[in-house]
């Protein structure tokens, strides 16, 4: 009898251990598998632009993410775009938080002083260096006061040109003062830390980005192959991002082609001695990745498969559109019509159908751009000789 009880006790212990082992295995399985599946289905996705970051995604991409789809697309320049890192040339779809930011943003009008014949402070420019991921210092402490003075003076000179152009196009009564904060990251590690801090999930090889929600711009300090500061690249990127800051105050959320086209247009005043002549063929090829001519307007403004292929073509074409439109008479200039509309309603996104109708009202936009392009770019040497012959001799 005692033997039988001992055997039953051993069997009971074995059964209990087996049950406990089975329960533990289920618990371990749930703690490993379920969170991974849940995070994939509910992970917040924040797509970002190359130059301006609007951290929101369009409806189609949200529904694909919710269904757990994860497509990978390769661009011709070797970059990968997925739902968690989509193509930067995205629809501009401000959220309620974005719109509230725009509505509550302090907009102080610029004032013209008739006695001095000058305007009040058009902007407040603040540029600082960030190093070791989080520490900041003035540029004068990083290099010297001469370097800081050059950066401030050059950027200010070109921001003055931006405001003068907008005053000419829209009238000073319609414009506002801008607060422009630039953070220059000393190295790649610091730049990546800043991108992470401000939730700008974008490739770190992008030289600069403007963040409307923070109203700051981040710039990665460019260097030459020898390790020296590439001052020209630094100035070009800083001016470009500063234009984005000015534009956000004046126009709010603009479509990408207009926003990037305007930033490149004004940065070109720094890049070229003859900005009105646009680009020569070699420079155009380099910037557009050897695009024979600007893309058709519909291919730039409306979402399509081409956006995956070559972002350089998109940026170069947007630049060409703005440059072309800037040459048209003010009286019936469609670009000014769009800018005035954006300026009057900065916290909305202009309907693309209306934009297309305003720009291509006679169906000749693409043909006119191509004619202008051939005249300036393909025959650039002839235009340059004409320009030089117009200069007065000493």
């Amino acid at each position: 009898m005692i033997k039988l009880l001992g055997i039953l006790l051993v069997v009971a212990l074995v059964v209990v251990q087996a049950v406990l082992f089975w329960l533990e295995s289920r618990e371990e399985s749930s703690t490993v598998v379920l969170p991974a599946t849940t995070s994939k289905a509910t992970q917040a996705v924040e797509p970002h632009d190359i130059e301006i970051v609007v951290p929101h995604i369009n409806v189609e991409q949200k529904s694909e993410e919710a269904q757990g789809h994860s497509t990978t697309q390769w661009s011709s320049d070797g970059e990968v775009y997925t739902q968690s890192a989509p193509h930067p040339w995205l629809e501009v779809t401000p959220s309620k938080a974005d719109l509230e930011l725009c509505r509550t943003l302090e907009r102080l009008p610029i004032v013209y002083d008739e006695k001095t014949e000058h305007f009040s402070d058009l902007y407040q420019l603040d540029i600082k260096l960030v190093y070791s991921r989080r520490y900041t210092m003035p540029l004068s402490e990083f290099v010297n006061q001469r370097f800081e003075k050059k950066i401030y003076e050059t950027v200010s000179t070109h921001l003055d040109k931006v405001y003068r152009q907008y005053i000419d196009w829209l009238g000073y009564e319609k414009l506002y003062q801008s607060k422009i904060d630039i953070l220059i990251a000393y190295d790649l590690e610091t730049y990546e830390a800043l991108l992470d801090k401000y939730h700008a999930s974008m490739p770190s090889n992008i030289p600069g980005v403007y963040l409307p929600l923070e109203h700051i711009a981040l710039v990665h300090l460019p260097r030459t192959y020898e390790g020296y500061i590439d001052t020209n690249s630094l100035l070009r990127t800083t001016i470009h991002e500063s234009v984005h800051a000015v534009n956000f105050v004046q126009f709010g959320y603009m479509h990408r082609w207009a926003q990037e086209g305007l930033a490149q247009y004004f940065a070109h005043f720094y890049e070229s001695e003859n900005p009105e002549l646009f680009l020569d063929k070699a420079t155009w090829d380099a910037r557009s990745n050897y695009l024979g001519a600007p893309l058709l307007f519909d291919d730039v403004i409306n979402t399509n498969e081409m956006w995956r292929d070559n972002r350089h073509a998109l940026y170069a074409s947007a630049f060409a559109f703005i440059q072309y439109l800037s040459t048209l008479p003010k009286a019936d200039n469609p670009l000014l019509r769009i800018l005035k509309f954006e300026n009057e309603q900065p916290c909305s996104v202009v309907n693309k159908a209306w934009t297309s109708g305003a720009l291509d009202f006679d169906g000749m936009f693409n043909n006119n751009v191509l004619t202008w392009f051939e005249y300036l770019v393909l025959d650039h040497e002839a235009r340059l000789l004409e320009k030089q012959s117009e200069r007065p001799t000493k």
Side-chain angles (χ1 to χ4, degrees):
M1 187 71 178
I2 296 176
K3 261 185 181 182
L4 181 60
L5 289 173
I7 291 172
L8 291 174
L9 182 61
V10 170
V11 171
L13 287 172
V14 170
V15 171
V16 169
Q17 288 179 344
V19 171
L20 289 174
F21 179 80
W22 178 73
L23 290 173
E24 288 176 357
S25 66
R26 283 194 63 189
E27 187 175 25
E28 288 177 358
S29 175
S30 66
T31 57
V32 173
V33 177
L34 291 182
T37 304
T38 303
S39 65
K40 183 177 180 181
T42 61
Q43 180 183 14
V45 180
E46 297 186 345
H48 301 280
D49 179 34
I50 281 187
E51 303 294 351
I52 282 192
V53 172
V54 180
H56 299 281
I57 198 164
N58 61 33
V59 175
E60 291 83 4
Q61 287 168 323
K62 277 184 177 176
S63 82
E64 287 180 3
E65 185 70 17
Q67 295 170 12
H69 296 166
S70 179
T71 56
T72 300
Q73 303 165 346
W74 287 85
S75 69
S76 61
D77 51 11
E79 294 185 13
V80 181
Y81 304 119
T82 63
Q83 259 69 35
S84 59
H87 195 285
W89 199 267
L90 288 171
E91 301 281 355
V92 180
T93 54
S95 68
K96 291 182 179 179
D98 295 323
L99 296 176
E100 183 64 21
L101 164 75
C102 183
R103 295 188 187 103
T104 59
L105 182 68
E106 185 179 26
R107 288 181 168 86
L108 301 176
I110 62 175
V111 180
Y112 181 70
D113 189 332
E114 295 183 357
K115 293 183 178 179
T116 62
E117 296 184 347
H118 285 84
F119 292 98
S120 63
D121 293 337
L122 300 177
Y123 51 85
Q124 300 175 27
L125 178 63
D126 184 51
I127 306 174
K128 285 187 171 60
L129 181 91
V130 185
Y131 65 99
S132 296
R133 300 171 66 91
R134 63 183 184 277
Y135 301 108
T136 61
M137 67 166 62
L139 295 179
S140 58
E141 294 182 15
F142 171 55
V143 182
N144 52 47
Q145 290 184 345
R146 181 180 177 184
F147 175 79
E148 181 181 64
K149 182 180 180 182
K150 177 179 180 179
I151 298 297
Y152 269 93
E153 286 185 348
T154 305
V155 175
S156 297
T157 296
H158 288 81
L159 286 175
D160 289 343
K161 293 180 180 179
V162 173
Y163 265 97
R164 282 200 298 270
Q165 183 68 80
Y166 282 148
I167 289 171
D168 180 56
W169 282 347
L170 305 174
Y172 77 87
E173 302 89 352
K174 299 291 186 180
L175 300 179
Y176 304 96
Q177 301 176 33
S178 300
K179 188 174 184 296
I180 305 169
D181 293 325
I182 309 289
L183 297 179
I184 301 175
Y186 174 75
D187 52 24
L188 182 59
E189 182 182 9
T190 300
Y191 189 52
E192 290 176 339
L194 289 173
L195 292 175
D196 183 64
K197 175 182 178 180
Y198 294 109
H199 309 293
S201 307
M202 58 178 295
S204 58
N205 63 340
I206 303 304
V209 57
Y210 172 66
L211 305 152
L213 288 174
E214 306 294 338
H215 207 48
I216 63 171
L218 309 178
V219 175
H220 183 200
L221 183 67
R223 300 179 184 275
T224 64
Y225 289 113
E226 295 80 12
Y228 299 109
I229 297 174
D230 187 341
T231 306
N232 285 332
S233 294
L234 174 61
L235 285 168
R236 182 168 57 249
T237 303
T238 302
I239 292 169
H240 183 109
E241 302 306 332
S242 297
V243 174
H244 283 317
V246 172
N247 284 349
F248 184 69
V249 175
Q250 316 306 324
F251 310 114
Y253 300 104
M254 307 176 74
H255 288 302
R256 201 73 76 229
W257 73 270
Q259 185 66 266
E260 295 302 335
L262 286 166
Q264 292 179 91
Y265 170 77
F266 287 116
H268 190 51
F269 282 87
Y270 170 74
E271 300 167 338
S272 174
E273 294 181 0
N274 301 289
E276 70 278 8
L277 297 184
F278 194 47
L279 305 172
D280 58 40
K281 184 62 166 58
T283 306
W284 168 261
D285 287 343
R287 293 182 69 149
S288 68
N289 199 16
Y290 295 93
L291 192 67
L295 296 173
L296 298 179
F297 180 71
D298 284 345
D299 291 334
V300 175
I301 192 173
N302 294 315
T303 310
N304 61 83
E305 294 294 318
M306 190 176 299
W307 286 14
R308 292 200 305 266
D309 297 333
N310 188 350
R311 73 163 184 264
H312 301 288
L314 291 167
Y315 277 82
S317 298
F319 177 22
F321 292 167
I322 295 295
Q323 183 86 13
Y324 159 72
L325 291 167
S326 72
T327 66
L328 301 180
K330 288 172 55 178
D332 54 356
N333 192 316
L335 173 62
L336 304 194
R337 184 183 177 193
I338 291 175
L339 291 181
K340 289 176 181 177
F341 195 91
E342 293 273 21
N343 177 254
E344 292 170 357
Q345 303 184 46
C347 299
S348 63
V349 179
V350 176
N351 182 277
K352 282 192 173 182
W354 182 88
T355 302
S356 298
L359 289 174
D360 196 16
F361 57 91
D362 58 358
M364 294 296 292
F365 182 86
N366 290 319
N367 183 71
N368 293 339
V369 169
L370 181 59
T371 301
W372 166 86
F373 178 83
E374 292 173 346
Y375 180 76
L376 277 186
V377 178
L378 301 187
D379 294 332
H380 189 81
E381 291 186 8
R383 304 289 81 78
L384 186 58
L385 289 174
E386 291 173 357
K387 180 72 176 178
Q388 293 171 346
S389 67
E390 294 173 359
R391 294 174 180 170
T393 56
K394 294 183 180 180

